[in-house]
Amino acid sequence: MQPLRVYSVVPKLPEKLKPLWDLAYNLLFSWNDDIVSLFAQVDRRLWRECYGNPVCFLNRLPQKTLETLAEDDFFVERLADLRQNLATYLSRKTTSIPFPDRDGTPVVAYFSLEYGISQSLPIYSGGLGILAGDHLKSASDLCVPLVGIGLCYQQGFFRQYLTPDGWQQERYPQYDFEQMPLTLCKDAAGERLMVQVDLKGERVSAQIWKAQVGRVSLYLMDTNVPENQPGTRQLTNRLYGGDLETRVRQEYLLGIGGIRALEVLGLKPKVIHMNEGHSAFAGLERIANFMDKHQLSFEAAMELVASSSIFTTHTPVPAGNDRFPPELIQAYFEDYAKRLGLAFKVLLALGREDPRNDTEHFCMTVLALKLSRFNNGVSQLHGVVSRKMWNRVWTQYPMEDVPIGAITNGVHVPTWVAQDLAALYDRYLGANWREDPDTTRVFSQAHLISDAELWRTHERLRERLVGYVRERLRDQLLARGAKRQELLNAEEVLDPQALTIGFARRFATYKRANMLLLDKERLIRIISDADRPVQFVFAGKAHPHDNEGKRIIQDLLQLCTSPQCRFNMVFLEDYDMEIASYLVQGVDVWLNTPRRPLEACGTSGMKAMCNGVLNCSTLDGWWAEAWKPDNSVGWAIGMGEEYEDAGYQDFVESQTLYNILENEVIPTFYERGHGNLPRNWIRKMKDSICQLTPVYNSHRMVEDYARIAYGPALENYNRLTREECAAAKDLASWRMDMMTKWGNLDIRHIRSGDPEQLHVGDAVRVTAEVQLNGIRPQDVEVQIYAGRLDYEGKFAQRDTVAMRPVETTPDGWHVYMGEIKPGEAGRFGFTVRILPHHPLLLDSHSLGLIRWAQNV
């Protein structure tokens, strides 16, 4: 084929309509109903065909339609108002979150392998990507100086379709980035800005696309450029596609290429946030940069990087964390290790739980944990699970002291709240509820909403969901070549007035989408009650290689299409953001059945919650901390038990679920008072909105990250880089000194008077003699580690009390003293330990150094 000269042809917008491009190229439209309404009113059919993508929509509008719109004074006036609103939104720079030296440029670089911002930008697969998208949106609303980094996938994540027998198949559409709200980044001369990385000796280039997310910029790298070899051009083809080598290449590009992209763009954020371990290589590139630019040792650069990095882990099972064989890492990083001045074995040790195990695979999560001083899980329970999972990285610490905290996820409420309900919020909560950071004050006013208004609004949303389900079901039946009667039946599925329960998520086996199927006869009795009808809507995808998940979908679809269930149970294909929006806004109950403790957070229930939908879930993820024992905000399946026998657990909890449905959910929904209103149900809806929405939203989440991590990380960066990084060098030197001398620390002669019995509040004075081996007293913290004991003699809860040096013995031992006061009756115990201490050390546990008393 002869080479072609390629042109981009765009519609010629009349002058009055040119602001449409401003609205189309800012993804603010994904959470601004007024902008969406403006586009949709022009041609609703075309808007739907374009999946709500305004760039594609404008490019497909006939020129005559554009000229007609330019003569429509009402449309032009409305467009001008929305363009002015956008300008006002973008002009506000102040934030309630303090950043000491903010100068208008990004302070935080947020790295994620996927982003779920809008259906028009299909570079997400599920919860991790949606969370990343919501993070950027709240950062925008709160004016947090943040920039996003990711990859631009030509085929995105797979689209799902089902064969006539219900087996999942995958298809991969080819996306045209020029038809998306993306702008190619160019320099002042109009040349593309490019990033280069070395992948196993091959020079790989990537161009950079920019997506504007409100006030936040998201930069996405794309290797489909002529400069690359044909195979390499496919590197950014698919999200989570390919083999292990494809994954390591993508993660090399994301982490190392992402840091280089920031440099090419002229951006110099001082803090990075790694959303999951996929981007952990960014820490290595930052270390290399600091070594090159500031002539730092590896140790000093690592202290600087770790002290200004945040890592969020989302995966509660070891198999869900990326691990690569040592030989694969060697192929890509042997030369990189030389750049860092490290033996390759030392670099490998950074990604191993046991650095001495030469056969252990290289784990991206371990690398991220070691290159960050701010590590967190995504719910309180997940924090506990993560500390247990990664205890081997800090083997000398009790699980409670593993330096992994928890910041519970949240959802971007303006994105997920239905337009009808948002209008109610405007009237009762105030028009600024979308951006107001004081979410507790705002949503506490939801109790003022009229019962009748709230219920009628919710009923309209359920009716809208039923209409949407019928339309989608008909489309998927047509695609399968269904018979005429099946198509007619699709017009009759679901009842707009019936109790509607939704279940939609990734069909991993631990999420137990088939729990309802364990007693099909009982389920059929529930949905067949003519007086109190119940119906279910399911959606979700299984990973292409997860045949067990596909079998669950197949079993579920067969039940949904059976004669007993076909009008009361529906499975919607190709779960995406559009289906999710209809479901979380229109169902009455959101059902979630993960096997505890395998759900890290589970934000789909939060999206339902902010629409007044009640949750019914096992006590896992966020629901373990959100549920109220009086069931005022929803229902718990079980009491948080964990079983060794998974089959028995599934049976017990399925029976519990049937009981909850039959004895609580269904009676409460159909208990109607004056005006045919379910007053008790409405009260639960309001309690859920008032009590949970202020907590489980991404504004609170981003504020937590800013307060707990971003702000302190920025201060650390500034302190460590002053005077040509003198503090970073000092901290690294101090650390090496600690490592050298720590092994000879010792503790002896612990005394406490050994009282046989104490009363609550009595003080116990503890003394201990400590051998410091040439370490200065100010470089250590000697602690009493005390608490109540369980029946096995282990700490059920514990506290630490700092001891102070009081004298030195003639043979050079330092005497330390402290006091503990048991605050309750019971069996208590204590020991003594030594931890390193330095004014610039964020967490004394992070170095992995500790000395426990051997005899107490």
Side-chain angles (χ1 to χ4, degrees), residues 12-33:
K12 185 177 181 181
L13 263 62
E15 192 66 32
K16 294 178 181 178
L17 300 186
K18 285 186 177 178
L20 284 170
W21 288 124
D22 298 325
L23 300 181
Y25 276 97
N26 193 313
L27 283 149
L28 179 67
F29 66 75
S30 65
W31 72 97
N32 187 302
D33 292 331

Side-chain angles (χ1 to χ4, degrees), residues 387-388 390-404 734-735 739 742 781 783 785 795 798 800 833-837 841 843-852:
R387 288 189 287 275
K388 185 176 181 180
W390 303 110
N391 206 162
R392 286 184 62 212
V393 180
W394 294 274
T395 53
Q396 297 191 64
Y397 294 137
M399 186 188 74
E400 296 80 6
D401 287 347
V402 170
I404 302 175
W734 172 86
R735 177 179 178 173
M739 294 288 189
W742 196 264
E781 183 172 350
Q783 298 176 338
Y785 189 93
F795 283 108
R798 57 98 180 124
T800 57
R833 67 180 186 177
I834 309 172
L835 292 171
H837 173 77
L841 189 66
D843 186 340
S844 55
H845 300 90
S846 60
L847 298 187
L849 298 176
I850 192 169
R851 174 65 63 183
W852 293 93

Side-chain angles (χ1 to χ4, degrees), residues 47 107 151 192 225 342 457 510 579 631 751 791-792 831:
W47 178 252
V107 171
L151 303 181
R192 292 172 301 152
V225 294
L342 300 178
T457 299
Y510 78 86
I579 292 177
N631 291 329
R751 299 182 177 90
Y791 69 95
E792 294 180 329
T831 186

